[in-house]
Amino acid sequence: MKRLQAASLITAIKTPYDDKGEICLTTYDALVAQQIAAGVDGIIVGGTTGEGHLLSWEEHIILIAHSVHKFGKDLIIVGNTGSNNTREAIKATINGFSVGMDAALQINPYYGRTSMVGVSEHFKQLLAIGPAFIYNVPGRTGQDITPDIIEPLSKHENFIGVKECAGNERIAYYEKQGIACWSGNDDESYVGRHNHGSHGVISVTSNIVPGLMRQLMDKDNLAETAKLNQQLQGLMQWLFCEPNPIAINTTLMMTGAVPKNFRLPYQALTLAQRQQGFELLKAIETKALVGDSLSLLDDSDFNYCI
């Protein structure tokens, strides 16, 4: 538990595809290797950014197992085994731990929403299986996991903490009570870490600039990193100009880090949106970017798979 709570930078790693829409493990391994080289502490496998919702459970568990086997000595491996179906989440979480993941990421039931009592019971069933981060993202689930739910759950031996997207005031409130929080909003994560006491960030932006995000989460040279945080605000905000992971997918294609293949229903950013991102990325040192080049790309460069 101490090792898990000490992780200040966890990347919600992208899942890349080949031209048939199948997971490209060669590219995936290259992405994760660059995360390790940059000093990232862990990865979320098959999260929202990793398009777990577009993977079959078989693909999902295989990817967790692969990550454990290949990178488990260097990184904390967190499997996104949550679901809005408690029975399904239980099965996936048991399978995730059976292949060696260190922790699970668990979300509250979305779409087919339940009562607050039901949300609490959902998490109790999952915490009984093994260590878990609880993920609060009201913008996606349509339901806020409020402190009256989190506070009792935080006493469970397998409760690690909260990936919190409800802002830094909520994070500060929890941290004062000894409840560990990781920011789910990259643009707020620096202030959350250094002004509000968060444990760190579970990041989308670190897919493309892991070393710079590492600097933001470290507690050294705060005057310099405050400037860096301001410089990165435009990029962080642009990465959410469309629902995640559309922009980070497009970005990693623009830098040549991954093949230009989408699984539907995702589509590349428009040319105008790519132009905005191109200018933001061009202002960052090439060596800080994941990928070997930077290009605007044409609409015809992208391939869409079912």
Side-chain angles (χ1 to χ4, degrees), residues 204-216:
V204 174
T205 306
S206 54
N207 276 280
I208 186 66
V209 285
L212 299 185
M213 290 302 296
R214 176 71 277 163
Q215 291 179 48
L216 292 188

Side-chain angles (χ1 to χ4, degrees), residues 25-223:
L25 289 178
T26 300
T27 303
Y28 179 83
D29 290 350
L31 292 177
V32 177
Q34 290 181 81
Q35 297 294 314
I36 294 169
V40 168
D41 299 305
I43 55 173
I44 305 288
V45 181
T48 305
T49 308
E51 300 178 22
H53 46 289
L54 301 189
L55 305 178
S56 69
W57 277 118
E58 181 181 33
E59 288 177 313
H60 211 136
I61 300 302
I62 287 172
L63 192 57
I64 292 171
H66 174 80
S67 301
V68 170
H69 175 73
K70 190 89 174 181
F71 304 110
K73 292 182 180 178
D74 301 306
L75 291 169
I76 291 167
I77 307 298
V78 182
N80 171 35
T81 55
S83 172
N84 61 349
N85 176 334
T86 305
R87 177 183 287 230
E88 190 174 81
I90 289 171
K91 182 179 179 180
T93 301
I94 290 171
N95 288 340
F97 280 116
S98 74
V99 299
M101 69 183 185
D102 296 297
L105 182 70
Q106 301 290 358
I107 198 165
N108 53 312
Y110 44 87
Y111 184 69
R113 290 159 50 188
T114 185
S115 64
M116 292 296 102
V117 174
V119 171
S120 181
E121 187 59 31
H122 174 83
F123 285 129
K124 287 177 184 176
Q125 293 290 327
L126 295 164
L127 284 168
I129 301 169
F133 295 85
I134 290 178
Y135 182 17
N136 184 34
V137 55
R140 287 188 180 271
T141 65
Q143 190 173 46
D144 188 15
I145 309 173
T146 51
D148 58 311
I149 297 174
I150 292 294
E151 287 166 7
L153 293 173
S154 71
K155 297 177 174 57
H156 196 287
E157 64 180 357
N158 284 330
F159 176 93
I160 302 167
V162 184
K163 178 184 177 183
E164 183 59 78
C165 296
N168 283 331
E169 287 187 15
R170 176 76 62 83
I171 287 173
Y173 172 81
Y174 283 143
E175 288 285 357
K176 287 175 182 175
Q177 297 184 68
I179 298 173
C181 280
W182 286 258
S183 178
N185 301 327
D186 283 343
D187 60 342
E188 297 178 341
S189 64
Y190 180 82
V191 172
R193 171 79 165 153
H194 301 296
N195 293 7
H196 298 286
S198 83
H199 277 53
V201 64
I202 296 177
S203 177
V204 174
T205 306
S206 54
N207 276 280
I208 186 66
V209 285
L212 299 185
M213 290 302 296
R214 176 71 277 163
Q215 291 179 48
L216 292 188
M217 290 302 104
D218 289 344
K219 295 188 175 181
D220 303 324
N221 304 316
L222 291 184

